[in-house]
Amino acid sequence: MSLLSPLVPLLRVYYAGLAVILHQLRRRLRSRCPPTPVFPTQNGKVAIVTGGAKGIGYHTVKHLARLGMHVIIAGNSEREGQEAVRKIKEETLTGKVEFLYCDLASMKSIRQFVQQFRAKNCPLHVLVNNAGVMLVPERQTEDGFEEHFGLNYLGHFLLTNLLLDTLKQSGTHSHSARIVTVSSATHYVGKLHLDDLQSRCSYSPHGAYAQSKLALVLFTYRLQHLLTANGSHVTANVVDPGVVNTELYKHVFWVVKVVKWMTAWLFFKTPEEGASTTIYAAVSPEMEGVGGCYLYNEKRTKSADIAYDEELQRRLWTESCKMVGISDESSRAP
């Protein structure tokens, strides 16, 4: 047996990841990200942004605060969260930014966060599901879920469902409340293993990450179907920020790190550019009342074919409800 044989499966995983990055780079060259347009002021509105202390989330929070929103950063680091609040207040000259602790890898922490938010007795007009991990080593959340699936997907699934009543109460016929979920082009190569959502049979960092991002797209489409069926003034959309130069790449293979270091200045979006489509989905008048879309560079585009499988959407939703311990209200929907 060749000395390189044990490395073959690992190399296949990272070559697949590299292929996705190169695909995004080609898209980046063909369509440079336009400058963020000027949006209407959002005075009196409230937003929650998960992972808002760094990267894309930080610039999302800063822009929404500049528009006059009261923005709550939901994050798992008190120090980073408070530092982000301080910097954004200095840069935007607004006091409408605050931090609340929320560890998306803990169902208990998510429920505590929602209780704290409800205690404020304020509306919720925008929920941005932004936080995530990428290509982490095999490990579990405190609830026993594989970390990509548990944090990236299940954490946001539970958070969104617990905040749905507040979002429904806050949306109106002319101004819908909005749910914006950040996925990735990696979802195009993702496969949903309903019989092994925790990747226990065969763990691959890239496969687990891609599955979590595909799950977010399926979740968004199913959620929009349910919201429409219930006549709710809430929309749900999913965004692809593109290839963005953030800390998410700290777990990638060293070859990818070298490529990133050499090319990021030319091909990768800055975190501020990466936030542009999220901001567009959250506040653009063009997206008023529009849901169930996959957005890239502030334009509607087609997601992976498998994401439109309504039966798969339903099955994932039902299984997710069981996993996080909430009732499946969708069973009464068409």
Side-chain angles (χ1 to χ4, degrees):
M1 185 175 70
S2 168
L3 292 175
L4 293 177
S5 295
L7 294 176
V8 171
L10 183 62
L11 289 173
R12 284 176 179 164
V13 168
Y14 285 107
Y15 284 150
L18 206 52
V20 171
I21 291 175
L22 291 173
H23 171 68
Q24 280 278 38
L25 294 181
R26 287 194 292 270
R27 288 168 68 182
R28 173 75 166 140
L29 285 174
R30 288 198 299 265
S31 177
R32 299 293 290 190
C33 184
T36 303
V38 177
F39 294 118
T41 57
Q42 304 291 313
N43 295 323
K45 292 191 175 181
V46 179
I48 291 174
V49 180
T50 67
K54 295 185 294 185
I56 294 171
Y58 174 85
H59 288 282
T60 300
V61 172
K62 186 165 73 169
H63 200 100
L64 295 181
R66 276 196 176 131
L67 292 173
M69 271 196 185
H70 172 188
V71 189
I72 297 169
I73 297 173
N76 63 357
S77 171
E78 184 78 25
R79 179 185 61 78
E80 291 179 352
Q82 295 299 349
E83 177 63 14
V85 169
R86 183 189 66 78
K87 287 172 61 179
I88 292 172
K89 284 183 176 180
E90 286 181 357
E91 293 176 26
T92 63
L93 302 179
T94 177
K96 297 179 181 178
V97 184
E98 62 178 302
F99 172 83
L100 285 180
Y101 184 86
C102 180
D103 181 0
L104 286 165
S106 165
M107 301 295 112
K108 178 180 178 182
S109 178
I110 294 168
R111 292 179 183 277
Q112 289 174 337
F113 168 83
V114 172
Q115 287 179 346
Q116 283 185 286
F117 174 75
R118 286 175 177 164
K120 293 178 176 291
N121 292 316
C122 63
L124 179 60
H125 303 93
V126 175
L127 170 62
V128 179
N129 293 321
N130 166 81
V133 294
M134 184 173 80
L135 305 184
V136 297
E138 185 173 10
R139 58 195 187 201
Q140 296 182 341
T141 67
E142 71 171 43
D143 301 287
F145 302 124
E146 186 278 315
E147 189 167 354
H148 292 99
F149 193 77
L151 191 157
N152 294 357
Y153 170 64
L154 283 179
H156 284 121
F157 178 86
L158 177 61
L159 179 67
T160 302
N161 273 281
L162 294 180
L163 292 171
L164 263 185
D165 284 345
T166 306
L167 285 159
K168 290 176 180 178
Q169 292 164 9
S170 305
T172 66
H173 179 71
S174 57
H175 293 92
S176 297
R178 304 186 187 190
I179 300 166
V180 182
T181 297
V182 180
S183 182
S184 161
T186 311
H187 92 276
Y188 286 106
V189 298
K191 295 181 179 179
L192 195 76
H193 302 285
L194 279 171
D195 57 343
D196 185 28
L197 291 172
Q198 306 307 319
S199 303
R200 291 188 175 120
C201 293
S202 177
Y203 182 78
S204 150
H206 183 270
Y209 175 69
Q211 176 178 248
S212 72
K213 291 301 181 178
L214 173 59
L216 287 170
V217 182
L218 288 159
F219 156 65
T220 298
Y221 292 165
R222 180 59 179 167
L223 175 59
Q224 182 58 56
H225 175 82
L226 296 173
L227 291 168
T228 301
N230 293 330
S232 302
H233 299 306
V234 182
T235 60
N237 290 293
V238 60
V239 304
D240 172 2
V243 179
V244 185
N245 190 9
T246 70
E247 291 183 10
L248 277 180
Y249 290 90
K250 63 185 178 183
H251 292 292
V252 300
F253 196 44
W254 68 268
V255 174
V256 180
K257 286 183 179 179
V258 171
V259 172
K260 174 179 176 289
W261 177 76
M262 294 173 63
T263 62
W265 65 275
L266 177 63
F267 297 121
F268 282 48
K269 292 181 181 180
T270 65
E272 185 171 10
E273 288 176 325
S276 65
T277 303
T278 300
I279 297 163
Y280 172 82
V283 299
S284 172
E286 294 176 9
M287 295 303 295
E288 177 54 50
V290 178
C293 299
Y294 185 87
L295 303 170
Y296 173 73
N297 273 0
E298 298 161 37
K299 293 181 175 63
R300 300 178 210 181
T301 189
K302 189 174 182 294
S303 61
D305 289 340
I306 191 66
Y308 298 103
D309 185 329
E310 294 184 0
E311 177 60 23
L312 188 61
Q313 293 168 16
R314 280 192 289 268
R315 291 177 65 190
L316 175 63
W317 185 281
T318 298
E319 187 62 28
S320 301
C321 287
K322 294 176 184 175
M323 296 171 87
V324 302
I326 61 175
S327 59
D328 184 5
E329 300 295 334
S330 73
S331 58
R332 294 193 290 271

